[in-house]
Amino acid sequence: MQILEKLKPLVLTGLIAVWFSAHGNPLHAQSTEVLTVAGGCFWCVESDFESVPGVVEAVSGYTGGTTANPTYKDVTRGGTGHYEAVQIVFDPAKVSRERLLELFFRSVDPTDPGGQFCDRGDSYRTAVFVSNSQERALAEQTKAQAQQDLGQKIVTPILPAKTFYQAEDYHQDYYKGDSLVFTRFGPKRQAAAYKRYRQACGRDAKVAQLWGDAAPFAKGH
């Protein structure tokens, strides 16, 4: 019996370790928050925000529409109601939701209702998705400040969050991928293809023209 009593703490510790392994660390899960935005090409939004200190990861996907489990072809063809969007997972102890929203508005052309840069159509429009009244108030406040700073009307809507569908694996971290892809520029590694696309699309040039020194990411490309 004494041996069993001594083993009990070890068994309990082992069971706790197994539970955490299966379910993840709830303390870690509670330490992060999510901001979902649409800013045109999700490769670019993902690339921009994964460079921000305090951002844990950015995930490309589709949201805002009515079609369940949409594919990339479904969304870009139109009719699904979905936006190309990105879920930004961040540590609020290191970067605030407000700061990320400020960066977002200044990393896109929020005056364009028909898409972003060379990418046209509903799926490429900008939007901010919110889950509650507190998030909405913050987004509206940040949008109003951005509009005042820009001196032009911002058309980016603040929308209620809907189901977020993660995009296909090949879209995730596309900007730093090493796979060989065939493009209009010829065969290239993903990272090189991404840089050529971003430059040809005119994203950074337009953002820099709009926001000047306030553009947080345009200078880095």
Side-chain angles (χ1 to χ4, degrees):
M1 289 296 292
Q2 289 182 343
I3 294 176
L4 288 175
E5 289 298 323
K6 290 180 179 179
L7 285 175
K8 278 182 181 179
L10 295 176
V11 172
L12 182 59
T13 300
L15 289 173
I16 291 172
V18 169
W19 190 93
F20 274 115
S21 176
H23 296 82
N25 188 334
L27 294 178
H28 175 72
Q30 291 172 5
S31 69
T32 60
E33 296 181 14
V34 175
L35 169 64
T36 304
V37 296
C41 169
F42 48 26
W43 298 344
C44 298
V45 179
E46 187 180 343
S47 168
D48 287 344
F49 281 90
E50 285 194 343
S51 72
V52 176
V55 170
V56 178
E57 66 173 339
V59 179
S60 292
Y62 317 109
T63 195
T66 55
T67 301
N69 302 308
T71 65
Y72 180 71
K73 287 184 179 179
D74 292 335
V75 174
T76 54
R77 189 187 306 124
T80 66
H82 286 298
Y83 293 72
E84 278 198 18
V86 173
Q87 280 195 333
I88 303 165
V89 183
F90 64 99
D91 181 350
K94 296 180 180 178
V95 62
S96 68
R97 181 179 299 271
E98 181 178 9
R99 178 57 180 157
L100 292 174
L101 285 166
E102 290 171 351
L103 294 174
F104 168 70
F105 279 112
R106 291 159 181 78
S107 67
V108 295
D109 178 359
T111 69
D112 186 349
Q116 284 291 283
F117 318 108
C118 68
D119 294 316
R120 314 311 301 165
D122 289 351
S123 64
Y124 292 108
R125 293 172 299 163
T126 60
V128 175
F129 299 91
V130 296
S131 299
N132 54 53
S133 58
Q134 185 177 1
E135 288 184 8
R136 174 174 288 280
L138 180 61
E140 294 286 7
Q141 175 187 327
T142 311
K143 174 181 173 179
Q145 184 61 57
Q147 180 167 287
Q148 181 178 325
D149 292 347
L150 185 60
Q152 298 183 47
K153 182 175 176 57
I154 287 181
V155 299
T156 303
I158 311 299
L159 301 174
K162 291 189 174 182
T163 303
F164 181 89
Y165 298 96
Q166 186 166 320
E168 295 84 342
D169 287 346
Y170 71 90
H171 285 300
Q172 308 302 329
D173 291 325
Y174 190 94
Y175 72 97
K176 57 184 178 184
D178 193 45
S179 299
L180 188 66
V181 293
F182 292 91
T183 74
R184 58 179 170 150
F185 310 113
K188 292 188 175 296
R189 299 294 176 185
Q190 279 182 334
Y194 164 75
K195 287 181 180 178
R196 288 294 297 270
Y197 153 75
R198 183 162 180 149
Q199 181 178 22
C201 200
R203 185 182 188 99
D204 297 306
K206 179 62 176 179
V207 170
Q209 178 189 343
L210 273 173
W211 292 102
D213 291 340
F217 307 115
K219 304 184 216 45
H221 295 273

